[in-house]
Amino acid sequence: MGEDRVTRPGVPGIAGGPGRNARPRRTAAARQAQQWLLTLLPAFPVLLLVLRLWQLSRQDMSTMLLLVQYVSPLGLLSALLIALVWAFPLVVLTFGVLGRLLRLSAPERFDPERSLLASWTARTPGWVATGAVALGALTWQLRFLPTLLMLGLCLLALRARYLYPDQPTRILLVSVAAPVAAAVLAYALLAPAAWTALRSGEPATAALLAVPPVATVLLTGPIPAGSARAVTHGLAYAVAAVLPLVTGAVFLAAPVLPSAAVVVAPPAPDGATPGGGVEPEVVLGALITVTDTSTVLLDRTASVRFLPNGRVRSQVLCPQPRPVPYSVVAVHGWPVEETVLDWMMLRRPVAAPDVRCAGRLRIEDRSGRSPG
């Protein structure tokens, strides 16, 4: 469990313990609020999955029920995990920094029995924060890595100030020397990119690259005790309110069904050769399933197409198009919108796109020959 909470000389105690001045234990309302939160929290991913299917069906209940029947829950969860893997480090580090800042600035207001922020801080093991930093370093875009560095160093400095108040040398190294050295190194690497972003009309990118290193030096110590609770809880409530909206918007734009192009021969009139004299049709959309009799496709108009397998001449899986880069800024050749995983993982070799994914027919499809 979390950090050492035992009171010893020089270490601030946690409110709520025995004694005349101790605050009362958690009230029934506080316990009920936490129980409701813990009950509703697991329902958020399920709500996102349902909303994604509702969006795919264009608010048509029959289409949605068909998607629920055929779409794999594991596939939906995989898409959810890949789209929102960046959110875990953000939650762990942001609430960890705010909770430790409250504990260091106003220890008498730090009560795990009455505050969810304090309870999160007191019960979160240190290895979780370490893993969150490592995961963020792999999955966050380069322009957000200075913010990750700021959160990690702030967390380390606040923890050192709390656990080792009688060791000024350690505190000086962790809370002052390390942030200053990190800021100097960060500016040596990022200053040209920040200046390029500023000249290119990208002030947000410039701020993300330039502000966190210097902010780290200023955020490794306590804040005034009178405003500590209001500041930390206010920021925590703001993050808790905005994060679901951001994660929902990101996931609702993520693909959850494979894109495919299916070449279908036209239906044959009575007594005529199937497809004779009429060109086949290329149907583009999201592949739902393939049954014994038909290929089920959700086309671009969100209409479900049941394509008889006897009329399907060919089909191809179309790769998802890479998003158009928003920023032109790069750090020593590394685009600020790329992640470390993008550089580490093998990429598909560049090949000529299949014409069927553009809605055009191949020569063999026009001639009616079966694909080789």
Side-chain angles (χ1 to χ4, degrees), residues 235-288:
L235 291 176
Y237 291 145
V239 172
V242 172
L243 187 62
L245 300 178
V246 176
T247 54
V250 171
F251 179 65
L252 291 180
V256 295
L257 290 173
S259 298
V262 182
V263 179
V264 184
D270 295 338
T273 304
V278 183
E279 283 194 345
E281 176 190 7
V282 180
V283 181
L284 303 175
L287 185 63
I288 299 177

Side-chain angles (χ1 to χ4, degrees), residues 285-365:
L287 185 63
I288 299 177
T289 187
V290 178
T291 66
D292 294 338
T293 59
S294 60
T295 298
V296 185
L297 201 74
L298 187 69
D299 65 16
R300 300 294 177 85
T301 64
S303 300
V304 178
R305 301 280 297 270
F306 295 89
L307 309 176
N309 290 335
R311 291 170 46 199
V312 174
R313 290 189 175 179
S314 64
Q315 52 188 333
V316 62
L317 192 66
C318 299
Q320 294 292 334
R322 294 183 61 84
V324 178
Y326 164 78
S327 176
V328 298
V329 182
V331 179
H332 300 285
W334 182 357
V336 294
E337 293 178 292
E338 296 284 345
T339 67
V340 173
L341 281 181
D342 292 332
W343 282 70
M344 292 174 57
M345 290 186 173
L346 296 177
R347 300 190 180 187
R348 298 183 61 179
V350 179
D354 195 298
V355 296
R356 289 171 291 182
C357 292
R360 300 195 301 270
L361 293 171
R362 300 181 303 172
I363 297 177
E364 51 265 40
D365 291 322

Side-chain angles (χ1 to χ4, degrees), residues 150-166:
M150 178 188 70
L151 293 174
L153 289 177
C154 289
L155 201 63
L156 185 63
L158 294 173
R159 183 177 183 273
R161 285 181 180 272
Y162 173 74
L163 293 178
Y164 310 103
D166 54 346

Side-chain angles (χ1 to χ4, degrees), residues 6 35 50 65 91 123 136 164 180 197 221 266 310 327 332:
V6 179
Q35 290 172 358
V50 173
L65 293 177
V91 171
R123 292 172 172 81
Y164 310 103
V180 170
S327 176
H332 300 285

Side-chain angles (χ1 to χ4, degrees), residues 23 98 101-103 105-106 108-111 114-118 223-237:
R23 301 174 65 186
L98 294 176
L101 187 61
L102 173 64
R103 180 173 59 185
S105 303
E108 72 282 355
R109 307 298 299 273
F110 185 84
D111 186 0
R114 298 175 63 88
S115 169
L116 289 176
L117 181 62
I223 60 177
S227 60
R229 180 176 176 84
V231 170
T232 54
H233 281 76
L235 291 176
Y237 291 145

